[in-house]
Amino acid sequence: MPFFVTGACLDVLDKSCIEECPVDCIYEGGRKMYINPRECIDCGACEAVCPVTAIASDLPLSEPDRPWRDDNAAFFESVLPGRDAPLGSPGGAGDLGRIDADAPLAAAS
């Protein structure tokens, strides 16, 4: 997962990253955005347009960002509140719209 969204996005939800993403891999949660690690093509377009520099790369991964990288993955791999199954890799965020839930770290922050 080269790119992920950090806690700097909490309660900001600017969505510039969604508009820039060529593969529709950025999903909107309740309080922040999430990049699907299976759908991201590692182009970095989202990172350049984020107004709060909330998008980070795990190459190299800083220790303060590690929990956010793991939380970003959990958004797709775990069962979120109000859902029956993990989101997984649905093939694009556009058809789903906002998912009114967050991964554990973002939900608790």
Side-chain angles (χ1 to χ4, degrees):
M1 174 187 338
F3 290 96
F4 60 95
V5 182
T6 70
C9 184
L10 281 172
D11 300 321
V12 175
L13 298 169
D14 174 75
K15 301 182 191 173
S16 296
C17 54
I18 289 176
E19 295 168 13
E20 197 67 29
C21 181
V23 294
D24 194 28
C25 72
I26 304 174
Y27 293 70
E28 182 179 359
R31 297 186 61 204
K32 69 182 277 290
M33 311 305 285
Y34 297 87
I35 298 173
N36 191 309
R38 292 189 183 127
E39 297 172 359
C40 178
I41 60 170
D42 193 21
C43 70
C46 59
E47 184 182 30
V49 298
C50 181
V52 294
T53 61
I55 298 173
S57 171
D58 70 356
L59 302 171
L61 179 63
S62 72
E63 282 306 310
D65 285 341
R66 185 177 303 276
W68 291 108
R69 185 214 43 200
D70 297 345
D71 199 55
N72 188 93
F75 184 78
F76 301 98
E77 297 169 357
S78 63
V79 179
L80 299 172
R83 300 190 64 88
D84 297 329
L87 191 58
S89 185
D95 291 338
L96 292 179
R98 183 174 191 229
I99 298 164
D100 198 21
D102 284 293
L105 180 59
S109 294

